[in-house]
Amino acid sequence: MTHVEILMLLQFIGIAAFAVSGALVAGERQMDWFGVMVLGVIVAVGGGTVRDLLLDVPVFWMAAPWYVLLAGCVALATIPFARFAHRVRRPVAIADAVGLAVFVSLGTRKALEMETSGFVAVVMGVITGIAGGVIRDVLANRTPTILRKEVYALAALCGALLFVFADWMGLPPLLTFWISSGVVLIIRLLAIFYNWSIPTLKVEPGEQD
Amino acid sequence: MTHVEILMLLQFIGIAAFAVSGALVAGERQMDWFGVMVLGVIVAVGGGTVRDLLLDVPVFWMAAPWYVLLAGCVALATIPFARFAHRVRRPVAIADAVGLAVFVSLGTRKALEMETSGFVAVVMGVITGIAGGVIRDVLANRTPTILRKEVYALAALCGALLFVFADWMGLPPLLTFWISSGVVLIIRLLAIFYNWSIPTLKVEPGEQD
Amino acid sequence: MTHVEILMLLQFIGIAAFAVSGALVAGERQMDWFGVMVLGVIVAVGGGTVRDLLLDVPVFWMAAPWYVLLAGCVALATIPFARFAHRVRRPVAIADAVGLAVFVSLGTRKALEMETSGFVAVVMGVITGIAGGVIRDVLANRTPTILRKEVYALAALCGALLFVFADWMGLPPLLTFWISSGVVLIIRLLAIFYNWSIPTLKVEPGEQD
């Protein structure tokens, strides 16, 4: 397999995993099948969409409808298997980590190709990776998991920072891409297997709440 | 009445119905009058705004402030009558269906005029119709009704698909517009009167929720 | 101090106050430190980001990363002091009012500089001031405070209207800026000290909720 084919395969895995996560959260809120499809698609394309709006470039899925169609089909295909969801939580989390790793690197690279500053590229990489999941939780009416626990956004941040640093060091593009993706994947897998988390802040709700 | 006048009248009905729905949901969350106005406006212009951001064209209401003003005034005018809201639920739902029908066709047509693919035009038509209501429910801190029950987004999808198909078949623009709007309206009215709904997915909340 | 230095100082105060409000709300939802940082940044830059997306101009913080960095650092610096948050509620609210006043004027002015209509400029001024706080509450899974009570958005509206009116009257730019900011600040301070609020609308939840 060539680099492009491997990247495409990893993207497929990531899109599918993101769509499954959207479908399951939709099911937890007892959405109808249309809502399941919408949430699956939004998790898969949400991050890249927000990135492209901020960068003011054409939204990527307009020229690549297969992206939306794949996510929608995977979300719908999740429905008959949703009752077994708790048995495959671990494999789905791993596939999700693969998706995060690839999307963060792709997002960072796209921003750098638009000649943004390194700072903006890091922000765009993180947004590409996590915004879909944040929108998912907002639509499911719950506080975004990504902002509450698990080393998820932080893994994305490390990968995006490393990408920009490697790019600035002049490393070959392919090496830069895989180092960055690899770091995100490793951090996420360690976080999943060892239940890593970042300390949380606890504040008593004020009188106005 | 000419075609343009009829279309304008239907748009007025739709904007008013959407603004009323926003105002009533704001009232269910005991928002203040300013919040009532904001929610009314957002339901009425939200869908078209998201569409225009995604298409990267000037947001439609910037050149047509009357759209925002009408929605805001209708929302404020709803306040003294809000206590009678449960008595006019049916008429409001019908006016809302008129709005959905017109907005879906207008959204699909605008995308096609930008020379997007048929796929993108369908997505834009659906977004134009439903995004305002989704944002309304997110701001009112509840899971979007549109994603949970009632044949609402599905009616929008059917209309947008039919619009693109009729356009591709080469039907006259006016006929395309009214067929598409008519189908959305009929499906919605049937769904309202016969309580149609799509099956829902039920998933037990995971341990992380 | 020159006008520019004073304006910069007031912006610093505003950014810091907005970031603190984001960090405290994140703490009320027991977010982790990354979530605290994200929420702080979003409150500080959210309004200007939505404005720039709607105006279709480059998002302001891309060329001014210090804005994001300042907000992120202030949010993180809030963590060790969060337990004392209830003791400094009043000073934080006053700093927040300073931020609102400056951001509304800056947002209105930016829109006018893009040669939008006065109507659009008013809307953009209000959005610049309040959208960050609205997104904060959506991410914290609660109905936006700004839409429910306190004379907050209304203060922004008055300031933006006054800015456009003064600009239309041909007043000197600096005078226009400070009159508008001053009015927002005064209304907000009066609202804080006298617990002003706008009447709310109460609607019984419908059967569909």
Side-chain angles (χ1 to χ4, degrees), chain A residues 168-208:
Chain A
W168 176 75
M169 290 278 286
L171 261 61
L174 276 187
L175 189 62
T176 300
F177 189 92
W178 294 117
I179 286 180
S180 159
S181 301
V183 164
V184 177
L185 184 60
I186 290 168
I187 296 179
R188 265 309 285 157
L189 292 182
L190 289 171
I192 292 169
F193 286 103
Y194 294 103
N195 282 311
W196 280 0
S197 64
I198 315 175
T200 59
L201 175 64
K202 289 177 192 63
V203 174
E204 288 297 306
E207 76 247 57
Q208 89 276 33

Side-chain angles (χ1 to χ4, degrees), chain B residues 27 31-34 62 139 141, chain C residues 54 141 144 147 153 199 201 203 209:
Chain B
M31 292 190 185
D32 62 29
W33 293 358
F34 195 91
M62 294 209 183
L139 289 178
N141 197 26
Chain C
L54 290 172
N141 198 24
L147 303 178
L201 174 64
V203 174
D209 200 26

Side-chain angles (χ1 to χ4, degrees), chain A residues 64-136:
Chain A
W66 65 266
Y67 209 111
V68 173
L69 291 172
L70 175 63
C73 291
V74 170
L76 288 178
T78 303
I79 294 175
F81 303 104
R83 76 185 72 176
F84 311 115
H86 59 280
R87 292 195 209 160
V88 290
R89 210 169 279 281
R90 189 55 64 87
V92 168
I94 294 171
D96 186 277
V98 171
L100 181 70
V102 178
F103 297 153
V104 167
S105 293
L106 286 172
T108 312
R109 190 171 70 182
K110 182 162 187 178
L112 287 176
E113 283 170 359
M114 299 294 142
E115 311 211 323
T116 66
S117 67
F119 173 79
V120 169
V122 169
V123 174
M124 292 303 155
V126 174
I127 287 176
T128 308
I130 74 169
V134 170
I135 300 173
R136 173 197 66 205

Side-chain angles (χ1 to χ4, degrees), chain A residues 23-24 26-39 49 53 56-59 61-66 68-69 78-80 82-83 85 89 138-142 145 148-150, chain B residues 50-51 53-56 116-117 119-120 123-124 126-127 130 134 137-138 140-151 153-154 157 197-209:
Chain A
L24 292 178
E28 289 178 13
R29 286 298 178 273
Q30 310 198 357
M31 292 189 186
D32 63 28
W33 292 358
F34 196 92
V36 170
M37 195 181 69
V38 168
L39 229 67
T49 302
L53 287 177
D56 200 14
V57 297
V59 178
W61 50 264
M62 293 207 185
W66 65 266
V68 173
L69 291 172
T78 303
I79 294 175
R83 76 185 72 176
R89 210 169 279 281
V138 164
L139 288 179
N141 198 25
R142 64 185 203 185
T145 320
R148 282 197 302 138
K149 50 189 171 187
E150 302 177 15
Chain B
V50 173
R51 175 200 62 209
L53 287 177
L54 290 172
L55 289 176
D56 201 14
T116 66
S117 67
F119 174 79
V120 169
V123 174
M124 292 303 154
V126 174
I127 287 175
I130 75 170
V134 170
D137 289 350
V138 164
N141 197 26
R142 65 184 201 185
T143 307
T145 320
I146 290 165
L147 303 178
R148 281 197 302 138
K149 50 191 171 185
E150 302 177 15
V151 179
L154 191 60
L157 181 61
S197 64
I198 314 175
T200 59
L201 175 65
K202 290 178 191 64
V203 174
E204 288 297 306
E207 75 247 56
Q208 89 276 31
D209 199 25

Side-chain angles (χ1 to χ4, degrees), chain A residues 7-51:
Chain A
L7 179 55
M8 194 56 90
L9 178 67
L10 294 179
Q11 274 201 77
F12 277 14
I13 294 173
I15 294 167
F18 275 42
V20 167
S21 93
L24 292 178
V25 170
E28 289 178 13
R29 286 298 178 273
Q30 310 198 357
M31 292 189 186
D32 63 28
W33 292 358
F34 196 92
V36 170
M37 195 181 69
V38 168
L39 229 67
V41 170
I42 283 179
V43 180
V45 309
T49 302
V50 174
R51 175 201 61 210

